[in-house]
Amino acid sequence: MKDLKSYIRNIPDFPKDGIMFRDVTTLFSNPAAFRHAVDSLVAAFKNDRVQKVAGIEARGFVLAGAIAHRLGAGVVPIRKAGRLPHQTIEETYQLEYGDATLEMHLDAFGAGDRILLIDDLIATGGTAEAALSLIERQSGDVVGCGFIVDLPALGGSARVRTHCERVVSLCSFDSD
Ligand code: AMP
């Protein structure tokens, strides 16, 4: 198995100038790399008695479903505003320009349930932090956060560690 990073496609200036987009769809489409990524995140949390895997729209859903299946857990979708059909709670957070809102169903899990948060990538940590706030507001017990990619220069993983001790990423890129 080659380094997982080599399966990630780098797209300069997407979605805007100056951003190097780390495109994990090339990793998802490679059977061995996708299996390796899922297996690695499953291994990291297999002893945590995870009850629900919360995935962040949209690339987080791909991982959350596969990981939950392997852990014998359920899946909780954390979605962009206006897409969940039932009663939701929402959390608005800052982006570089403007803001964004994430929503979760009010009854997505029970108080005290053991939750694993999953997304493809952590950059500034704003998205993950908003998702963690939603889970904490519903009294979920966050056992950890898992990502394929960390961009440590942007400080997100350090920020998220203030909410949850176990933050696992499978690879990192030094500049953004
Ligand atoms: P952040 O809130 O800054 O941690 O951004 C994380 C979210 O934005 C994740 O859902 C990522 O999929 C996406 N994202 C942010 N920066 C990048 C990047 N350079 N390449 C790919 N996805 C990114």
Side-chain angles (χ1 to χ4, degrees), residues 2 12 38 43 66 77 93 105 113 121 134 137 144 160 174:
K2 286 188 289 176
V38 171
Y93 62 103
H105 275 147
D113 277 1
L121 177 147
L134 290 172
R137 278 167 58 194
V160 162
D174 289 335

Side-chain angles (χ1 to χ4, degrees), residues 11-30:
I11 303 182
D13 300 320
F14 183 87
K16 56 183 186 228
D17 282 357
I19 303 286
M20 178 64 85
F21 194 83
R22 308 297 179 177
D23 176 18
V24 297
T25 64
T26 41
L27 184 154
F28 286 170
S29 75
N30 182 287

Side-chain angles (χ1 to χ4, degrees), residues 19-22 59 119-127 151 176:
I19 303 286
M20 178 64 85
F21 194 83
R22 308 297 179 177
R59 291 175 294 275
D119 201 2
D120 66 324
L121 177 147
I122 183 155
T124 66
T127 308
L151 305 181
D176 87 340

Side-chain angles (χ1 to χ4, degrees), residues 5 15 29 35 37 68 72 88 97-98 103 117 120 130 132 157 163 169 174:
K5 280 165 84 163
S29 75
R35 177 187 288 263
T88 59
Y97 299 103
E103 292 183 345
L117 179 68
D120 66 324
L132 288 168
S157 42
H163 291 258
S169 54
D174 289 335

Side-chain angles (χ1 to χ4, degrees), residues 3-172:
D3 183 356
L4 217 45
K5 280 165 84 163
S6 66
Y7 295 95
I8 297 169
R9 177 165 53 191
N10 301 308
I11 303 182
D13 300 320
F14 183 87
K16 56 183 186 228
D17 282 357
I19 303 286
M20 178 64 85
F21 194 83
R22 308 297 179 177
D23 176 18
V24 297
T25 64
T26 41
L27 184 154
F28 286 170
S29 75
N30 182 287
F34 182 60
R35 177 187 288 263
H36 182 72
V38 171
D39 285 353
S40 301
L41 289 168
V42 166
F45 297 103
K46 69 177 191 308
N47 296 323
D48 288 293
R49 292 177 288 115
V50 174
Q51 292 170 289
K52 308 271 186 189
V53 181
I56 302 177
E57 185 170 0
R59 291 175 294 275
F61 292 171
V62 175
L63 294 165
I67 292 166
H69 177 71
R70 291 278 311 281
L71 290 175
V75 176
V76 171
I78 295 188
R79 301 208 62 177
K80 290 162 188 161
R83 296 184 179 172
L84 286 170
H86 193 52
Q87 234 188 324
T88 59
I89 55 169
E90 63 176 48
E91 194 72 33
T92 296
Y93 62 103
Q94 301 303 308
L95 296 174
E96 197 175 347
Y97 299 103
D99 50 28
T101 299
L102 287 180
E103 292 183 345
M104 185 180 76
H105 275 147
L106 203 55
D107 59 357
F109 53 81
D113 277 1
R114 297 172 67 78
I115 316 288
L116 170 63
L117 179 68
I118 294 288
D119 201 2
D120 66 324
L121 177 147
I122 183 155
T124 66
T127 308
E129 202 167 46
L132 288 168
S133 298
L134 290 172
I135 296 166
E136 287 165 359
R137 278 167 58 194
Q138 290 308 104
S139 304
D141 178 6
V142 179
V143 300
C145 301
F147 306 91
I148 293 181
V149 182
D150 185 15
L151 305 181
L154 297 180
S157 42
R159 187 171 162 189
V160 162
R161 277 195 185 88
T162 64
H163 291 258
C164 114
E165 267 176 37
R166 305 205 41 227
V167 179
V168 172
S169 54
L170 305 182
C171 63
S172 66

